[in-house]
Amino acid sequence: MLPGVFALAASLLLSSCAIGPEGVMLSRERQEENIPMRSIPAERAWINAPDTQLVLQRELVFGPEQRISLRNRTLVPGDNILMIRTRSGMRASGPLRFEELVRWVGELPPPFADVTTGEMISDNDELGSYLWTEERFGNDTVCVLGLRRVNSSMRQIPGGDDVMDIMLRNCVAGTSEDALQPLLAASITSPALAQSGAGQSRLISPLAGPSR
């Protein structure tokens, strides 16, 4: 019996699965669905983003996740948000992969639900490369979807991990450069500062819960 028990334990570890309360084997993704977010002070945000309203965090199987709710001053429905995860080891090797990020978030936020990797624009700043695309509404409103991976040679990664993966959805009355500001080097490398109202909002966002 013992060899069989050890084999099962090893198999579960390798497959990142666990046994649920009813004896059902749960994947890592299913485990993470049930991990709640908690509100934390704005000064503990990993990115010093303009218009921060609320900072939420949870500890996942392979590292923490943080979600920063940004004020939406446009008429475009949906939440402006930064979604951030840290990773280490094999999960931190190589560039950020679009398909991996889509699996992480469950689905891309509107109006980018149908965006493919071929539609993403590659750009650079002081921290290296990032990917982004945009949707325009009328004459002065633009929404951006931005993705990037920041490693420990660029800035200190929370928890001593190796990389920080970031997804931004931001709609603004202005330019795409304005909308991309939370994803760019100036926001990522600046220390977080408590902003007026940040961390005090009781906004309940549909993105504040589990990914799926």
Side-chain angles (χ1 to χ4, degrees):
M1 289 293 293
L2 281 177
V5 172
F6 290 144
L8 175 61
S11 175
L12 291 176
L13 286 172
L14 289 173
S15 61
S16 303
C17 291
I19 301 298
E22 298 180 359
V24 178
M25 188 174 294
L26 302 178
S27 67
R28 174 175 58 85
E29 289 78 11
R30 290 294 305 279
Q31 294 174 58
E32 292 180 344
E33 287 177 9
N34 301 316
I35 300 175
M37 287 279 186
R38 70 182 191 281
S39 179
I40 64 172
E43 58 267 23
R44 291 172 56 191
W46 296 338
I47 293 176
N48 185 22
D51 283 334
T52 291
Q53 289 193 124
L54 181 69
V55 183
L56 300 167
Q57 188 168 318
R58 60 178 177 167
E59 300 299 322
L60 301 179
V61 178
F62 295 114
E65 174 184 297
Q66 193 172 97
R67 302 188 188 189
I68 303 174
S69 173
L70 309 174
R71 183 171 287 106
N72 187 351
R73 302 178 186 275
T74 75
L75 297 179
V76 180
D79 295 300
N80 287 343
I81 192 166
L82 280 161
M83 299 179 66
I84 315 162
R85 279 190 180 185
T86 68
R87 287 291 180 263
S88 60
M90 290 295 293
R91 292 172 180 80
S93 61
L96 177 63
R97 291 179 288 276
F98 180 83
E99 295 78 9
E100 178 183 344
L101 184 135
V102 173
R103 285 197 302 272
W104 157 34
V105 300
E107 58 184 20
L108 294 175
F112 301 104
D114 298 322
V115 165
T116 65
T117 184
E119 298 173 68
M120 305 295 287
I121 302 165
S122 180
D123 221 327
N124 291 273
D125 63 9
E126 298 91 325
L127 288 181
S129 64
Y130 58 93
L131 298 174
W132 67 283
T133 189
E134 67 176 28
E135 289 282 345
R136 294 190 172 272
F137 299 86
N139 295 324
D140 64 351
T141 299
V142 60
C143 295
V144 299
L145 176 73
L147 319 171
R148 82 180 308 164
R149 168 167 283 187
V150 176
N151 65 45
S152 56
S153 68
M154 302 170 182
R155 57 154 283 175
Q156 183 177 0
I157 304 299
D161 284 334
D162 297 323
V163 300
M164 187 167 69
D165 292 338
I166 308 167
M167 187 205 78
L168 167 71
R169 184 273 200 183
N170 200 21
C171 297
V172 303
T175 67
S176 55
E177 289 78 11
D178 296 330
L180 283 167
Q181 282 305 308
L183 189 71
L184 301 182
S187 294
I188 293 174
T189 58
S190 297
L193 300 173
Q195 302 177 36
S196 176
Q200 304 301 316
S201 170
R202 304 313 302 165
L203 172 69
I204 302 301
S205 163
L207 288 178
S211 299
R212 301 178 197 273

